[in-house]
Amino acid sequence: MTSPTLTPELQALAEAVARRRNFAIISHPDAGKTTLTEKLLLYGGAIQQAGAVKAKGEQRKVTSDWMELEKQRGISITSTVLQFDYAGSTINLLDTPGHQDFSEDTYRTLAAADNAVMLEDAAKGLEPQTRKLFEVCRMRQIPIFTFINKMDRPGREPLELIDEIEQELGLACWPVNWPIGSGERFRGVIDRRSHDVILFGRAERGKASEEQVLTVAGARESGAVEPELLDQALEELELLEGAGADLDLELVHGGQLSPVFFGSAMTNFGVRPFLDAFLELAQKPTPRASSTGLIDPVAPGFSGFVFKLQANMDPRHRDRVAFVRVCSGQFEKDMTVQHARTGRAIRLSRPQKLFGQDREVVEDAYPGDVIGLNNPGMFAIGDTIYTGSRLEYEGIPCFSPEIFAWLRNPNPSAFKSFRKGVNELREEGAVQILYDTDESKRDPILAAVGQLQLEVVQYRLENEYGVQTRLEPMGFSVARWVVGGWPALEAVGRIFNCKTVRDAWNRPVLLFKNDWNLNQLAEDHPELELSTVAPVVSGVEPISL
Ligand code: G4P
């Protein structure tokens, strides 16, 4: 790839960008994300043996023991991004934490991803957490690749699984390969474009499986696959062809058409064909919207944004790591960048690249990569850093919380520390803070997407700020922002079966016990426009406690 208009530096940058693919896996717990991740890393030669990604058994034990929690957070710190090379590409796999630590971080990570892999268990199909994460991907219109896993176990009919995605998510599907048999008789897949029959042999745990690529006729002759299984797969493929749609890359990249793959992560069936097709079809780092228009990744100036902050649980030195998604230009160690929100210049002297349990200092990074910066309290979620002319990326929205609790401070003399802690943890994005509309009720309301967020806040308030708090659950499970703000809310008059609160930007948020109450309000007042995510604000400081 050469372009006469690019300087040698930009040419090198363009090549680095063209080589990069980044993605996050969205799935419900137990669909096989850890297993698939391990297998992918195996292909990248990044780990020698499956089982190295995380100590699963250990993680399972974690419930409420805080020492264990620390350990667990240690794991999620270090496995935030996994980078590996495969077939001439550099792949960044952004980790979305699993169920025990499902939190807003899970959503925010998707803001840094260019592609998502939706992983389904063939026996279960679409599950709740996958649907939620899918909604976030849809909002960002990122390409979604579907991997239907556990084909080695009895599962639902492939056509039915595809239909469910199309009907329930409104996402058109384009199976790139089709399974031959399932359960005990899962033999392999047929590549829809080449009509190659890819047969897999079971391999030793942790090794790439033995793979045989044959023509349909060759597969028949070989006797390696039962003729009736092959015929059924071919028939179903014909049905799909009859449906007529093309694999339109533009639709894929717009998040409207999902390439679908079948396989079994555990037995390593179908992982290699998936990875190869993913590299071919996935979106490389794309231009991003900013205050000065779309920013091309191949631009002379470096820029990026913070999508996640991770605080160390060690109260003695509160080091925090800010995770930055590189959006344009080349990042170099010791570079001085501008911090858009404060206008300050910052020298980035100890940037880190994180892999598994290891951290290494990065010398350089390119668009699509993620770097970890030591953050002595200056970065907030959504902050932009850049060199050259000023720009600011669109912030990261607040996602709809589902768990709400009053945070009580039983000891009035500790109020100062309580306030400091609550404000700092909010800034860090550990939890969302809502306030009662009655200003005499000063206690904040914690609003989270995962229970662990609340536990972490309480734990950190005690350990880092010395305040013991009490959580008083509120019986709500749904929050909606009022799109027209206070005037729109006042216009509809009195409303029932919901509580109005304020967010940190003094915007009205309605809390409902359940979807039924929400639907009731929508029926009574169709003119009231509600949103599951808060509009992004920039340049305005939030209310502090
Ligand atoms: P998660 O990260 O999405 O939560 O899922 P994880 O990979 O931990 O997989 C959950 C369980 O599903 C594991 O079993 C794993 O071995 C199994 N699994 C993953 N992929 C496949 C597959 O393709 N086929 C089959 N049959 N099983 C699969 P476990 O018993 O909970 O753990 P382990 O004892 O295997 O470690």
Side-chain angles (χ1 to χ4, degrees):
M1 200 178 63
T2 53
S3 163
T5 54
L6 295 183
T7 61
E9 289 78 23
L10 282 182
Q11 184 62 40
L13 177 62
E15 279 165 17
V17 170
R19 213 171 41 237
R20 276 172 167 70
R21 300 288 182 278
N22 110 2
F23 71 100
I25 299 177
I26 62 171
S27 64
H28 194 81
D30 275 348
K33 184 164 65 103
T34 312
T35 314
L36 179 65
T37 302
E38 280 174 2
K39 294 292 149 63
L40 290 171
L41 294 178
L42 219 51
Y43 281 101
I47 52 172
Q48 298 309 314
Q49 214 192 354
V53 175
K54 65 179 175 188
K56 190 76 196 197
E58 254 172 51
Q59 204 198 13
R60 285 264 161 79
K61 277 187 262 145
V62 176
T63 46
S64 60
D65 181 327
W66 292 117
M67 290 308 287
E68 286 293 343
L69 175 74
E70 226 170 288
K71 208 196 284 175
Q72 187 190 358
R73 283 173 63 87
I75 291 166
S76 53
I77 291 173
T78 50
S79 63
T80 289
V81 61
L82 301 164
Q83 188 180 69
F84 61 99
D85 288 327
Y86 171 75
S89 296
T90 298
I91 301 160
N92 288 302
L93 199 174
L94 308 180
D95 189 42
T96 51
H99 56 316
Q100 280 129 340
D101 48 0
F102 185 67
S103 68
E104 278 160 273
D105 277 348
T106 317
Y107 287 142
R108 290 180 193 131
T109 298
L110 293 174
D114 297 316
N115 302 280
V117 172
M118 180 163 82
L119 182 67
E120 268 193 23
D121 178 329
K124 297 191 174 143
L126 285 172
E127 295 183 86
Q129 203 154 299
T130 319
R131 289 171 198 262
K132 276 191 218 166
L133 293 165
F134 166 79
E135 286 307 326
V136 179
C137 296
R138 159 142 298 172
M139 214 167 67
R140 290 206 43 238
Q141 299 179 329
I142 60 175
I144 297 169
F145 293 78
T146 304
F147 187 91
I148 298 188
N149 191 30
K150 305 200 187 181
M151 287 301 296
D152 59 301
R153 282 228 298 247
R156 290 166 55 189
E157 286 299 321
L159 284 169
E160 188 190 312
L161 291 165
I162 301 277
D163 196 51
E164 182 181 58
I165 297 171
E166 297 203 325
Q167 299 303 322
E168 294 192 22
L169 302 182
L171 175 66
C173 290
W174 203 94
V176 176
N177 58 38
W178 198 254
I180 306 171
S182 67
E184 296 253 292
R185 304 213 299 166
F186 180 46
R187 300 288 175 245
V189 294
I190 303 181
D191 184 304
R192 181 163 165 196
R193 293 176 294 175
S194 64
H195 276 87
D196 281 345
V197 175
I198 308 169
L199 302 178
F200 303 101
R202 306 219 168 206
E204 214 182 300
R205 215 183 157 123
K207 295 269 165 52
S209 66
E210 296 286 320
E211 201 181 288
Q212 241 186 316
V213 182
L214 301 167
T215 59
V216 172
R220 270 193 211 290
E221 275 163 31
S222 77
V225 50
E226 295 86 330
E228 72 275 15
L229 293 182
L230 193 58
D231 287 341
Q232 189 189 344
L234 288 167
E235 244 169 63
E236 288 173 341
L237 259 184
E238 222 164 275
L239 268 179
L240 292 176
E241 292 305 342
D246 286 334
L247 177 58
D248 181 333
L249 259 195
E250 221 171 284
L251 292 179
V252 172
H253 290 175
Q256 292 155 286
L257 182 68
S258 179
V260 180
F261 302 83
F262 292 84
S264 158
M266 194 183 76
T267 54
N268 208 346
F269 276 28
V271 177
R272 198 275 312 156
F274 160 73
L275 187 56
D276 284 341
F278 172 81
L279 291 180
E280 177 199 337
L281 304 172
Q283 179 167 257
K284 62 183 196 207
T286 51
R288 290 219 159 213
S290 80
S291 54
T292 57
L294 281 182
I295 304 297
D296 198 298
V298 186
F302 159 79
S303 68
F305 67 89
V306 176
F307 67 94
K308 171 175 168 151
L309 296 175
Q310 185 84 55
N312 197 321
M313 301 287 282
D314 186 345
R316 282 162 303 174
H317 36 87
R318 283 229 289 273
D319 75 321
R320 297 181 200 165
V321 179
F323 293 94
V324 174
R325 148 80 201 226
V326 179
C327 296
S328 73
Q330 181 183 355
F331 170 84
E332 284 166 70
K333 180 172 164 296
D334 290 330
M335 156 180 246
T336 297
V337 300
Q338 300 296 316
H339 183 229
R341 185 165 52 86
T342 58
R344 280 166 57 185
I346 309 170
R347 184 161 172 268
L348 304 176
S349 53
R350 276 198 300 152
Q352 298 171 340
K353 196 173 265 182
L354 307 133
F355 183 86
Q357 305 292 336
D358 303 327
R359 294 177 180 207
E360 57 180 79
V361 171
V362 311
E363 298 297 329
D364 52 16
Y366 297 91
D369 290 348
V370 170
I371 48 175
L373 302 177
N374 280 313
N375 168 23
M378 74 176 69
F379 293 119
I381 303 276
D383 279 1
T384 299
I385 52 176
Y386 64 93
T387 62
S389 33
R390 187 177 190 289
L391 70 100
E392 209 165 350
Y393 286 104
E394 283 182 345
I396 297 176
C398 289
F399 296 100
S400 199
E402 293 176 12
I403 302 170
F404 306 86
W406 290 106
L407 182 67
R408 307 288 189 200
N409 165 32
N411 177 6
S413 67
F415 183 72
K416 261 179 124 171
S417 309
F418 176 71
R419 179 166 63 187
K420 184 168 189 286
V422 169
N423 289 337
E424 289 188 1
L425 292 176
R426 181 189 46 71
E427 270 167 32
E428 207 181 274
V431 73
Q432 291 182 47
I433 304 285
L434 302 171
Y435 303 93
D436 202 297
T437 46
D438 176 353
E439 289 189 20
S440 68
K441 293 187 182 161
R442 294 182 65 183
D443 286 345
I445 298 166
L446 301 187
V449 306
Q451 184 64 34
L452 192 86
Q453 281 179 269
L454 302 189
E455 292 167 22
V456 166
V457 166
Q458 258 197 315
Y459 174 78
R460 290 185 57 194
L461 281 173
E462 183 170 349
N463 283 272
E464 296 170 27
Y465 301 88
V467 270
Q468 281 194 341
T469 53
R470 198 156 45 77
L471 276 183
E472 215 173 282
M474 299 168 91
F476 300 109
S477 68
V478 182
R480 288 290 181 273
W481 275 263
V482 179
V483 173
W486 296 106
L489 193 59
E490 276 152 27
V492 298
R494 225 175 123 76
I495 49 176
F496 298 95
N497 292 329
C498 74
K499 180 177 174 62
T500 307
V501 295
R502 304 173 292 141
D503 75 0
W505 285 269
N506 202 18
R507 300 175 296 195
V509 183
L510 304 181
L511 306 185
F512 301 87
K513 279 207 172 66
N514 48 41
D515 282 328
W516 195 84
N517 286 341
L518 166 66
N519 295 337
Q520 192 70 39
L521 178 70
E523 262 175 43
D524 293 348
H525 296 286
E527 73 281 16
L528 190 65
E529 205 184 322
L530 301 175
S531 166
T532 53
V533 285
V536 174
V537 264
S538 57
V540 187
E541 286 303 315
I543 310 170
S544 291
L545 184 64

